[in-house]
């Protein structure tokens, strides 16, 4: 056990010395791996942000019934009774036109414009929340509601968030494919890097075998090399993505402020960063494993 | 009491791709603690026999036992552990020129997982035995022709092997230097290490008077 630990320490030591002895080559390898990893990582982070943005809006099926200007309290009561009897309706909320105008003035910061209006142009509205997220059921109810008396216009509010969800899902799938492809690229880059390193250490490997080195002993420094390159590449990818987010956030914050929001792009949390570093190190290890195993198989 | 054989070769044939037979039905025993010179003309099969003993190559037929272990049927994964008990001295020295003499000698000790302190002590002791302690920091490329095999011997004995297999260790050395290298082998043999040297250096054979095994065209003569 102690000898095994000594081997590991020795291998790590030799690998670190080798990496530091060729700083330019090491940096180039790290950059190539980092850029390959940064692309899917950046996509993932942006999709996460888009998802959290979408989650901020209603995702339950919701209808808004805008009433005719002539609709009175009795009409509202009658409509509420009728809607309440519909299957699948969970909740009804009446929004008087005065409240709607006040909300609009507040949320869009256009109080001066609203104040200049002679009369409130907004209609009364009833917001209907359904029990399920079934868009088809929402559309059927919307169609039915359009035929109700005193109903001017019916809007299925949650449709666009569902479309956004679908787009995010599509983006996630595309990102998954891109991630897999770039992971293959990373493994291929590592295989080639390790193969070149093996060629430069061919004599040492041959001598080591003759003096009693096991395959594990020979493989170990290359495993460390692949793992370290993968981990440093991952670190570089994280740095690129965080720098990119910092750069984008200036414009995103400005845009969000125009909509009265404080939204900004958020990077990965600590556990996600660690998981990503572990993943990139594992890919580096896999590349090294493939490369050195192929070499030993060929030369045995 | 009769010494038991540490090497036992029985009806061994080594056939290379293309049909060339380097060894043909060779059988021999080498006792533990003995000093044996393997001699014969170039191409007689001396190096091939040493390679079979070290597991570098496999016999086409026959049995090769080293320390009671059957090398000809040994699993590849077990081979490193056999080699740790053998000190191999190569004709081409197999030196690593990207590190010092000391780092070359300490390599087998690192392979076997010796502590840094023990490895350093043993490497220096081995260098001292072959008279190269003052050259430990030198690059192998700066060693003289006579120093190269001595450094190779130092690497071979660091792990305190029970046998040393040396392939033409005095090739291309002047008689004086060759004699000093052979004296080193004699010193190790005197403390119980089995020494098997492949050589066609007749002067060395006359000087050492060891048991001599003569190979001729792959057969024992």
């Amino acid at each position: 056990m102690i000898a095994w630990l000594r081997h590991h320490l020795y291998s790590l030591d030799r690998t670190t010395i080798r990496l530091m002895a060729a700083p330019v080559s090491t940096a180039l390898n790290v950059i190539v791996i980092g850029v390959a990893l940064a692309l899917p990582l950046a996509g993932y982070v942006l999709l996460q942000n888009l998802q959290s943005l979408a989650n901020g809006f209603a995702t339950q099926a919701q209808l808004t019934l805008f009433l005719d200007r002539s609709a009175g309290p009795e009409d509202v009561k009658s409509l509420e009774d009728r809607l309440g009897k519909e299957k699948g309706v969970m909740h009804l909320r009446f929004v008087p036109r005065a409240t709607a105008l006040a909300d609009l003035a507040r949320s869009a910061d256009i109080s001066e414009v609203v104040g200049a209006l002679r009369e409130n142009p907004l209609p009364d509205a009833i917001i209907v929340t359904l029990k399920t997220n079934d868009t088809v059921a929402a559309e059927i109810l919307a169609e039915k509601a359009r035929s109700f008396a005193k109903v001017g216009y019916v809007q299925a509010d949650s449709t666009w968030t569902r479309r956004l969800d679908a787009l995010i899902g599509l983006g996630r799938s595309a990102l998954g494919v891109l991630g897999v492809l770039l992971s293959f690229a990373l493994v291929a880059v590592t295989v080639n890097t390790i193969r070149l390193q093996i060629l430069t250490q061919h004599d040492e490997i041959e001598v080591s075998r003759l003096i009693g080195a096991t395959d594990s002993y020979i493989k170990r420094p290359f495993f460390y090399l692949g793992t370290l390159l993968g981990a440093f590449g991952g670190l570089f990818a994280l740095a690129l993505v965080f720098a990119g987010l910092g750069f984008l956030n200036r414009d995103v914050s400005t845009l969000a402020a125009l909509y009265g929001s404080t939204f900004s792009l958020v990077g990965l949390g600590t556990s996600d960063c660690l998981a990503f570093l572990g993943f990139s190190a594992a890919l580096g290890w896999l590349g090294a494993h493939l490369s050195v195993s192929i070499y030993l198989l060929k030369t045995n | 009491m009769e010494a038991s054989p540490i090497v036992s070769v029985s009806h061994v044939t080594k056939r290379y791709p293309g049909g060339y037979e380097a060894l043909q039905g060779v059988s021999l025993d080498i006792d533990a603690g003995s000093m044996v010179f393997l001699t014969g003309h170039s191409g007689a099969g001396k190096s091939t026999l040493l390679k079979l003993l070290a597991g570098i190559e496999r016999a086409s037929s026959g049995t090769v036992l080293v320390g009671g272990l059957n090398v000809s049927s040994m699993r590849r994964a077990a081979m490193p552990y056999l080699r740790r008990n053998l000190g191999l001295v190569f004709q081409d020295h197999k030196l690593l020129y990207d590190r010092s003499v000391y780092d070359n000698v300490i390599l087998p000790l690192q392979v076997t997982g010796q502590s840094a302190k023990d490895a350093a002590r043993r490497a220096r002791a081995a260098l001292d035995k072959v008279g190269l302690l003052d050259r430990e920091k030198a690059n192998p490329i700066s060693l003289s022709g006579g120093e190269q095999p001595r450094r190779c011997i130092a690497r071979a004995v660091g792990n305190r092997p029970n046998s040393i297999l040396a392939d033409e260790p005095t090739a291309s050395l002047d008689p004086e230097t060759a004699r000093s290298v052979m004296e080193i082998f004699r010193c190790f043999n005197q403390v119980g290490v089995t020494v098997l040297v492949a050589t066609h250096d007749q002067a060395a054979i006359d000087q050492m008077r060891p048991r001599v095994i003569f190979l001729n065209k792959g057969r024992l003569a």
Side-chain angles (χ1 to χ4, degrees), chain A residues 2-3 6-7 10 14 18 203-215 217 296 300, chain B residues 56 76 80-81 83-84 88 90 94 96 98-99 107-108 110-116 155 159:
Chain A
I2 290 171
R6 276 195 199 115
H7 281 163
Y10 173 70
R14 295 288 305 177
R18 285 218 166 86
D203 289 347
E204 183 180 346
I205 293 171
E206 193 194 350
V207 170
S208 298
R209 275 175 154 174
L210 291 172
I211 59 177
T214 58
D215 281 359
Y217 179 88
L296 290 178
N300 271 329
Chain B
I56 296 168
R76 206 178 55 77
Y81 302 99
R83 289 185 190 149
R84 290 176 189 183
L88 301 178
F90 305 96
K94 304 246 184 260
L96 298 173
D98 64 342
R99 61 196 71 189
L107 192 61
Q110 286 164 335
V111 164
T112 51
Q114 303 287 329
S115 71
R155 186 178 64 188
N159 262 330

Side-chain angles (χ1 to χ4, degrees), chain A residues 64-69 71 79 123-124 145-155:
Chain A
T64 303
L65 278 64
F66 295 102
L67 308 185
D68 285 344
R69 301 292 302 270
L79 277 168
D124 291 332
R146 280 183 191 108
S147 64
F148 292 171
K150 301 293 181 182
V151 172
Y153 179 72
V154 178
Q155 179 182 296

Side-chain angles (χ1 to χ4, degrees), chain B residues 147-160:
Chain B
E147 287 172 328
Q148 301 271 5
R150 285 197 275 155
R151 192 223 52 84
C152 199
I153 295 168
R155 186 178 64 188
V157 300
N159 262 330
R160 297 176 187 159

